[in-house]
Amino acid sequence: MAMLHTVNKSPFERTALQSCLGHALEGASVLLFEDGVYAAMQGTAVSAQVSEALGKVRFYVLGPDLRARGLREDRVIDGIQVVDYDGFVDLVTSHDNVQAWL
Amino acid sequence: MVNEGPYNHQASDSAYRFTKAALDKGHEIFRVFFYHDGVYNGTRLGVPPQDDRNITQLWQELAAEHDLDLVVCVAAAQRRGILDADEAKRHGKDADNIAERFRISGLGQLIEAGIKADRLVVFGD
Amino acid sequence: MSEIKKFMYVNRKAPYGTIYALESLEVVLIGAAFDQDVSLAFLDDGVYQLTKDQDTSGIGMKNFSPTYAALGDYDVTKIYVEKESLEERGLSLDDLQHLTYEDEDDDWAEKDSIRLVSREELARIMDEQDVLLSF
């Protein structure tokens, strides 16, 4: 089992995602939610970095937060799994510990 | 742990939705601890517009349904003017404002939650 | 409560601009009474919390930085500071307070509380924790 990292800030405003990726070990998971979901989209300044990180960590993005912001699931980077709040709960219980990158 | 007040940040909404989902799936929530501006979740004096959600009320309903322990940190609450009847009396204030189903207690409650619960999830800014 | 858990307080925010650093420290002081395996991590802007020569007289806020020096008395002796975070901010250990504790297992010898660790080392230490409190 491994660690679940949560990122709730836009990568264009804060360093939370950068810092998270700098500390996420191989096999860890990252959940993007709230304004963190902007990092899940294709064609942004951080997409390449997120895609590269997908080789090392699993990425999840909270669907309700995507939809609230008018972001389409088909524009989410390949390999990122969309989950709902039930999925968020499952991620918490299926990992050893949770680090929130506030 | 909820670190932000309602409305200004999404943290309270996310924490509420997460908590509700966990309870609906049959998990036990040992405690919800409100810290920093999160203590504002526990005021009973908020009057959001009719077409907006009332986060304090949502917490209260969830607490009533699941016997949820909603704890507001006393030190953070005193700083920000969230008081129960005892605290108001002790500090010579003419009113209290804690919402029903919330209780004010010490930071030890957060540490205890960390020890007793299998996981601790932090919602903040 | 016989169970001992690894608690890490993760500090990533600078002091004074927001209250997180101060209220995080308040949790650490209360938490010290619970006999858990406690450590503090300072990374990103959190390293600014430990700088020496803080003087808040001009902003009317309480200077809480001396409290970090008292952590040793609370048996909080593992303070991890991330090397890369310091370097990115043009800082070195010399810019931080010298924090110490007395080691009861070593005839009360005075030892450094601050452990300078790389990002990778810190990531592994974080991974070992049971509870990560971030503010």
Side-chain angles (χ1 to χ4, degrees), chain C residues 6 9 12 15 21 24 40 45 55 66 68 71 73 75 88-89 93 114 121 127-129 132 134:
Chain C
K6 284 174 176 269
Y9 297 89
R12 295 184 52 246
S24 162
L40 272 62
D45 281 355
D55 173 8
Y68 295 106
L71 287 174
D73 301 336
D75 288 329
E88 284 161 7
R89 287 158 184 80
L93 273 188
I114 291 185
E121 285 170 315
D127 191 54
E128 294 164 3
Q129 303 301 314
L132 295 129
S134 25

Side-chain angles (χ1 to χ4, degrees), chain B residues 1 3-4 9 35-37 75-76 79-80 107-112 114-118 120 122 125, chain C residues 1 3 5 7 9 13 19-28 30-31 34 36 130-135:
Chain B
M1 174 160 69
N3 286 347
E4 299 298 334
H9 293 274
Y35 198 44
H36 303 300
D37 277 3
R79 250 189 203 117
R80 295 166 176 85
L107 278 167
Q109 301 272 307
L110 171 62
I111 307 297
E112 188 200 20
I115 294 169
K116 296 250 177 92
D118 293 328
L120 187 141
V122 183
D125 181 34
Chain C
M1 280 184 282
E3 192 187 358
K5 281 192 173 180
F7 272 69
Y9 297 89
K13 291 176 181 166
I19 200 171
Y20 303 106
L22 168 60
E23 288 192 327
S24 162
L25 196 51
E26 289 180 351
V27 182
V28 175
I30 298 290
F34 282 75
Q36 301 295 303
D130 295 307
V131 180
L132 295 129
L133 289 155
S134 25
F135 299 92

Side-chain angles (χ1 to χ4, degrees), chain C residues 115-132:
Chain C
R115 304 164 193 211
L116 190 64
V117 291
S118 71
R119 186 159 286 163
E120 196 183 331
E121 285 170 315
L122 183 60
R124 300 204 176 278
I125 297 164
M126 289 174 110
D127 191 54
E128 294 164 3
Q129 303 301 314
D130 295 307
V131 180
L132 295 129

Side-chain angles (χ1 to χ4, degrees), chain C residues 8 38-43 50 78-82 113-117 122 125 129:
Chain C
M8 175 176 267
V38 172
S39 62
L40 272 62
F42 292 89
L43 62 157
L50 298 178
K78 287 184 282 196
I79 299 180
Y80 299 104
V81 174
E82 189 179 271
S113 301
I114 291 185
R115 304 164 193 211
L116 190 64
V117 291
L122 183 60
I125 297 164
Q129 303 301 314

